[in-house]
Amino acid sequence: MTDILELGKRAQAAAPAIAAAAPAVKNAALAAIADALIARTGEIVKKNQEDIERAVANGMSQSMIDRLLLNPQRIVAIAASVRTLIDMDDIVGSVEHGTIRPNGLQILKTRVPLGVIGIIFESRPNVTVDAATLCLKAGNAVILRGGKEALCSNAHLVAVMREAVESAGLPADVVQFVDDTSHETAEKMMRMNQYLDVLIPRGGAGLIRAVVEHASVPVIQTGTGNCHVYVDDSADLEMAVNIVDNGKTQRPSVCNAVESLLVHKDIAQEALPLIKARLDQHKVVMHGCQTTRSILGPDVQPATEEDYAKEYLSYDISVKVVDSIDEAIAHISRYGTKHSEAIVTRSLEHARKFQTQVDAAAVYVNASTRFTDGGEFGMGAEIGISTQKLHARGPMGLHELTTVKYLINGEGQIR
Amino acid sequence: MTDILELGKRAQAAAPAIAAAAPAVKNAALAAIADALIARTGEIVKKNQEDIERAVANGMSQSMIDRLLLNPQRIVAIAASVRTLIDMDDIVGSVEHGTIRPNGLQILKTRVPLGVIGIIFESRPNVTVDAATLCLKAGNAVILRGGKEALCSNAHLVAVMREAVESAGLPADVVQFVDDTSHETAEKMMRMNQYLDVLIPRGGAGLIRAVVEHASVPVIQTGTGNCHVYVDDSADLEMAVNIVDNGKTQRPSVCNAVESLLVHKDIAQEALPLIKARLDQHKVVMHGCQTTRSILGPDVQPATEEDYAKEYLSYDISVKVVDSIDEAIAHISRYGTKHSEAIVTRSLEHARKFQTQVDAAAVYVNASTRFTDGGEFGMGAEIGISTQKLHARGPMGLHELTTVKYLINGEGQIR
């Protein structure tokens, strides 16, 4: 069991080496990690089995066990996503803006690594590698604190990464692993301002709330998405059905999945049965308002306040018939989590109104909320979706894992 | 005495109006504020006198009283700085980046206001107007909590601003003033996550530490600057003397003033007497290491650890002779506050090394640290200098008072 402050100290000591590392050196480290993951698949799967066996013994649900599982195909996928980072442009040192001031000073706004990034995450062990390698590509040291369910898998993945990083000539200490999953240690980590530049929680609403509440280190909140689709009275019905279906059923367990459907009253009679027919193919349970139930009948559950506020992450959806786009926007403002919101409409005025007035990281017109994703946005890999407004909002890629440094060059200028 | 949560609620309710306000409306509000400040100078000065009288009775130092004072000239200057905001481009709605993805989705990264900004500041009442108007120009509502010393002045300035804003057709509630300066209320404000998007403390190190420690609202740290000038062995001596003198004496009370001088041993014998001769003209007290004192004699005070760590904000400077640029960089890494650091050198290698390895918001080659300022950087007005790495680093102007919103336009795309 290592002292968390000691991990912080080591990460901080190693950070300048990776911050100053040439792109080729960082890429060599990433390649070494990808190679090692493949070469050592056997060991990794074996360590993962220990976690799986414990999970089964503890009666963990099948879907949670599935999130925990590492098998050769999944390790190939993890290694592949590390390799995609290699091809991405290096952001460190790039000049974001440059000016010559009237007094001749040259001012360059450059991008530099944040320093040491702490990540607190829950069960999925692929996050260990995804998050660490993205931090490394952006020139940062990283301290990883995963959930206790994946302790054996995570510890081994970190050991593999540390050896690989070192083989590429970087200090192994740029990747640190917290092998103590107690709350006390997590809370110490959250207040380790002297060693951590930022803390990113990845996981459910409870984890994120706890980190925001207890951290004095700057936090970037990610994640919870109570995403809505509003079907406007002028909507193309086939498009509406496709977008609701895709948002709800393509991958229900993720944060950009649709959790709530709002339908304009003038189109509800026609739209709701079509949407229900499609969702029925995936056995989606609808939780509807009074009007919805009067249109669709009693196999729609009655929706409660909790239904409207809920991020189901399952084959459930809340449904409400609204009188106007204004009521839809007000509903989203009340229950939404500022993640991704969509309108299906043919009206330019309504499209513009919705995009202007809805306060969320990503606001869609006639497209599925499932696109809120670093890869889909063309940023490459991402470390999460920020639902807060400071530093990063929406998908967080390499850019969001850096900060700026102004370089000012003069010939003796004084004020 | 108003309930702080009530202020938060009102600011949040008013925020959408200013977020959606056209540039012309925001500018009309700013013009109305500038006009009202001039028209109502008499009242403002009278209210300020109440604060001054209380300060005198409480035995406040002359320099603190000077910071507190508002007179007609100063009010003219405050109004003029409000007017400079009018001429600045409106940032809200500007597109920072836009792409068409292979599937035809148009993704626009636009700038939008943060929402509600809380500012906790110390004595200078000009901050009340500067900070509020900058927040308004960027489309935000603002909650101002100043020091108790300036309570009468601040309350009146806010009343003037609220009336002016309302006369321009915006809700007065976009500017809120906390008239209760108790610690309890300040701490409540720091945890008001439901109403505040960001909290910016402006003031001394103690205030900033307290806010970072107690806030659950995201904080942008500003301010403390223990700034160094390192005079390299290859430095132009006249330039070095000018830069040290300017950094230390042009305005010692500000965060970008120089607090510490590092001199390479090979040039110390020649440089230190020249620097001392110039600083003597301003009666600067030098606190030097053993070598400095052996060169300059006993009227240099012996420097302690505290001297090296200190932000004097006065006519004092710590001085250390170092063996190498590496020792200078290590010293800055240990004692600096990541604000502004300068090297005076003729060596390209050393210039590059210093700018790469020194971790600070602004790193200068051959120029005075006094340039770290929104106006000098060409950003217009600023709300402070961020010394942290998240969201904003260096001078914080309009750009730093906004966040992003992705607008995604499709024709029915699904994943």
Side-chain angles (χ1 to χ4, degrees):
Chain A
M1 215 61 83
T2 322
D3 177 20
I4 180 83
L5 293 176
E6 181 59 30
L7 297 189
K9 203 176 288 184
R10 285 194 212 150
Q12 191 177 56
I18 185 142
V25 173
K26 285 183 284 183
N27 286 339
L30 295 174
I33 289 172
D35 290 347
L37 288 170
I38 300 297
R40 300 172 70 174
T41 293
E43 304 164 27
I44 296 167
V45 167
K46 211 171 129 202
K47 288 289 178 182
N48 181 249
Q49 273 305 315
E50 295 179 28
D51 288 329
I52 297 289
E53 279 159 27
R54 204 173 52 245
V56 171
N58 291 341
M60 189 185 273
S61 75
Q62 200 49 53
S63 73
M64 289 299 284
I65 289 177
D66 183 63
R67 289 163 77 100
L68 196 54
L69 182 75
L70 289 177
N71 56 30
Q73 298 94 291
R74 288 192 181 180
I75 293 171
V76 166
I78 295 172
S81 93
V82 174
R83 285 194 213 282
T84 63
L85 288 177
I86 296 174
D87 295 330
M88 290 176 68
D89 282 343
D90 204 284
I91 192 169
V92 175
S94 65
V95 177
E96 195 162 277
H97 184 68
T99 48
I100 303 287
R101 300 292 304 150
N103 61 4
L105 276 185
Q106 179 198 49
I107 301 187
L108 303 177
K109 184 178 185 181
T110 65
R111 294 219 77 87
V112 296
L114 280 164
V116 182
I117 298 178
I119 316 238
I120 298 188
F121 57 105
E122 289 175 339
S123 67
R124 286 188 291 177
N126 63 312
V127 173
T128 312
V129 179
D130 287 353
T133 50
L134 204 58
C135 290
L136 296 179
K137 175 80 181 188
N140 299 288
V142 62
I143 303 180
L144 300 156
R145 193 274 189 192
K148 64 176 182 307
E149 302 77 12
L151 190 59
C152 295
S153 317
N154 289 337
H156 200 67
L157 288 168
V158 169
V160 168
M161 287 194 286
R162 285 174 56 96
E163 285 174 36
V165 160
E166 205 159 30
S167 76
L170 285 169
D173 278 346
V174 296
V175 184
Q176 297 289 344
F177 180 65
V178 184
D179 61 0
D180 163 4
T181 58
S182 70
H183 282 291
E184 294 69 40
T185 300
E187 288 193 14
K188 243 193 229 175
M189 182 172 171
M190 295 178 204
R191 307 191 73 81
M192 209 162 66
N193 296 52
Q194 72 273 45
Y195 300 122
L196 272 183
D197 291 289
V198 55
L199 193 59
I200 305 176
R202 277 192 61 166
L207 169 73
I208 291 164
R209 209 163 33 237
V211 172
V212 170
E213 187 60 30
H214 293 112
S216 53
V217 173
V219 171
I220 301 180
Q221 290 182 51
T222 61
T224 21
N226 181 14
C227 306
H228 300 72
V229 174
Y230 165 58
V231 179
D232 195 28
D233 52 353
S234 70
D236 176 311
L237 280 181
E238 193 191 336
M239 189 188 287
V241 171
N242 287 337
I243 286 174
V244 173
D245 177 37
N246 183 254
K248 181 70 262 178
T249 69
Q250 197 238 352
R251 201 169 167 203
S253 66
V254 293
C255 61
N256 58 18
V258 168
E259 305 293 6
S260 194
L261 167 65
L262 304 172
V263 182
H264 192 282
K265 66 174 171 17
D266 293 348
I267 204 177
Q269 200 74 40
E270 203 181 346
L272 282 174
L274 293 172
I275 292 170
K276 181 166 189 303
R278 180 73 73 82
L279 294 181
D280 278 349
Q281 297 174 16
H282 297 274
K283 301 197 172 52
V284 172
V285 178
M286 298 176 91
H287 306 257
C289 66
Q290 206 45 54
T291 315
T292 304
R293 299 186 75 216
S294 75
I295 296 170
L296 295 179
D299 66 317
V300 170
Q301 306 289 314
T304 61
E305 277 293 293
E306 292 89 75
D307 283 305
Y308 292 133
K310 204 159 177 179
E311 189 191 22
Y312 292 112
L313 301 173
S314 62
Y315 288 92
D316 292 82
I317 191 167
S318 66
V319 188
K320 191 175 187 200
V321 174
V322 294
D323 286 346
S324 63
I325 183 173
D326 296 294
E327 191 187 339
I329 292 171
H331 182 97
I332 291 169
S333 160
R334 175 154 178 204
Y335 297 103
T337 54
K338 302 183 193 235
H339 192 297
S340 300
E341 307 293 351
I343 184 174
V344 185
T345 187
R346 282 194 184 96
S347 157
L348 181 59
E349 185 193 342
H350 284 189
R352 189 176 161 91
K353 182 174 198 170
F354 193 83
Q355 286 193 320
T356 306
Q357 294 188 7
V358 169
D359 183 23
V363 188
Y364 291 81
V365 171
N366 295 336
S368 169
T369 57
R370 287 279 295 115
F371 288 109
T372 305
D373 172 280
E376 295 294 331
F377 273 25
M379 312 173 165
E382 56 156 65
I383 203 155
I385 311 288
S386 165
T387 52
Q388 44 129 62
K389 295 183 180 176
L390 225 59
H391 186 74
R393 199 178 193 201
M396 295 171 56
L398 291 175
H399 182 272
E400 286 71 24
L401 294 177
T402 61
T403 181
V404 298
K405 183 199 244 184
Y406 286 95
L407 305 183
I408 304 99
N409 299 309
E411 307 93 24
Q413 281 87 340
I414 57 172
R415 269 181 92 173
Chain B
M1 217 62 81
T2 322
D3 177 21
I4 181 82
L5 293 176
E6 181 59 30
L7 297 189
K9 204 175 288 182
R10 284 194 213 151
Q12 191 177 55
I18 186 144
V25 174
K26 285 183 283 184
N27 286 339
L30 295 174
I33 289 173
D35 290 346
L37 288 170
I38 300 297
R40 299 172 70 173
T41 293
E43 303 164 29
I44 296 166
V45 168
K46 211 171 130 201
K47 287 289 178 182
N48 181 249
Q49 273 305 313
E50 294 179 29
D51 287 329
I52 297 288
E53 279 159 27
R54 203 173 55 246
V56 171
N58 291 340
M60 189 186 272
S61 75
Q62 201 49 52
S63 72
M64 289 299 284
I65 289 177
D66 183 62
R67 289 163 78 102
L68 196 54
L69 182 74
L70 289 177
N71 56 31
Q73 298 93 292
R74 288 190 179 180
I75 293 170
V76 166
I78 295 170
S81 92
V82 174
R83 285 194 213 282
T84 63
L85 288 177
I86 297 174
D87 294 331
M88 290 176 68
D89 282 341
D90 204 283
I91 192 170
V92 176
S94 64
V95 177
E96 195 162 277
H97 184 68
T99 48
I100 303 287
R101 300 293 303 150
N103 60 4
L105 276 185
Q106 179 198 50
I107 301 186
L108 303 176
K109 185 178 185 182
T110 66
R111 294 220 77 89
V112 295
L114 281 165
V116 182
I117 297 178
I119 315 235
I120 298 188
F121 56 105
E122 289 175 337
S123 67
R124 285 188 292 177
N126 63 310
V127 173
T128 312
V129 180
D130 287 353
T133 51
L134 204 58
C135 289
L136 297 179
K137 175 81 181 187
N140 299 288
V142 62
I143 303 180
L144 300 156
R145 194 273 191 191
K148 64 175 183 304
E149 302 77 12
L151 190 60
C152 295
S153 316
N154 289 338
H156 200 67
L157 288 169
V158 170
V160 168
M161 287 194 286
R162 284 174 57 96
E163 286 174 34
V165 161
E166 205 158 30
S167 76
L170 286 169
D173 278 346
V174 296
V175 184
Q176 297 289 344
F177 180 66
V178 184
D179 61 359
D180 163 3
T181 58
S182 70
H183 283 291
E184 293 70 38
T185 300
E187 288 192 14
K188 244 192 229 174
M189 181 172 171
M190 295 177 205
R191 307 191 74 81
M192 209 161 66
N193 296 52
Q194 72 273 48
Y195 299 123
L196 273 183
D197 292 289
V198 55
L199 192 59
I200 305 176
R202 279 192 60 167
L207 169 72
I208 291 164
R209 209 164 33 237
V211 172
V212 170
E213 186 60 30
H214 294 112
S216 52
V217 173
V219 171
I220 301 180
Q221 290 182 50
T222 61
T224 21
N226 181 15
C227 306
H228 300 73
V229 174
Y230 165 58
V231 180
D232 194 28
D233 52 354
S234 69
D236 176 312
L237 280 181
E238 194 189 335
M239 190 189 286
V241 172
N242 287 337
I243 286 174
V244 173
D245 177 36
N246 183 255
K248 181 70 261 178
T249 70
Q250 197 238 352
R251 200 167 165 206
S253 66
V254 293
C255 60
N256 59 17
V258 168
E259 305 292 6
S260 193
L261 167 65
L262 305 171
V263 182
H264 192 281
K265 67 174 170 19
D266 292 347
I267 204 177
Q269 201 75 41
E270 204 180 347
L272 282 174
L274 293 172
I275 292 170
K276 181 167 189 301
R278 181 73 75 82
L279 294 181
D280 278 350
Q281 297 174 14
H282 296 274
K283 301 199 171 48
V284 172
V285 178
M286 298 175 91
H287 307 257
C289 66
Q290 207 45 55
T291 316
T292 305
R293 298 185 76 216
S294 75
I295 295 170
L296 294 179
D299 67 317
V300 170
Q301 307 288 314
T304 61
E305 277 293 294
E306 291 90 76
D307 282 305
Y308 293 132
K310 202 159 178 180
E311 189 190 23
Y312 292 112
L313 300 174
S314 62
Y315 288 92
D316 292 82
I317 191 168
S318 66
V319 188
K320 190 173 188 201
V321 175
V322 294
D323 286 346
S324 63
I325 182 172
D326 295 294
E327 191 187 339
I329 292 170
H331 182 96
I332 290 169
S333 161
R334 175 155 178 204
Y335 297 103
T337 53
K338 303 183 192 240
H339 191 297
S340 300
E341 308 292 352
I343 183 174
V344 185
T345 187
R346 282 197 186 94
S347 156
L348 181 59
E349 185 193 342
H350 284 190
R352 191 176 160 91
K353 181 175 200 171
F354 193 83
Q355 286 192 321
T356 305
Q357 295 188 7
V358 169
D359 182 23
V363 189
Y364 291 83
V365 171
N366 295 335
S368 170
T369 58
R370 288 280 294 114
F371 287 109
T372 305
D373 172 280
E376 295 295 330
F377 273 25
M379 314 175 164
E382 57 156 64
I383 204 156
I385 311 288
S386 165
T387 53
Q388 44 131 61
K389 295 181 181 177
L390 226 59
H391 185 74
R393 199 179 193 199
M396 296 172 55
L398 291 175
H399 183 272
E400 286 71 23
L401 294 176
T402 60
T403 182
V404 299
K405 183 198 244 183
Y406 286 95
L407 305 184
I408 304 98
N409 298 309
E411 306 93 24
Q413 282 87 341
I414 57 172
R415 268 180 93 172

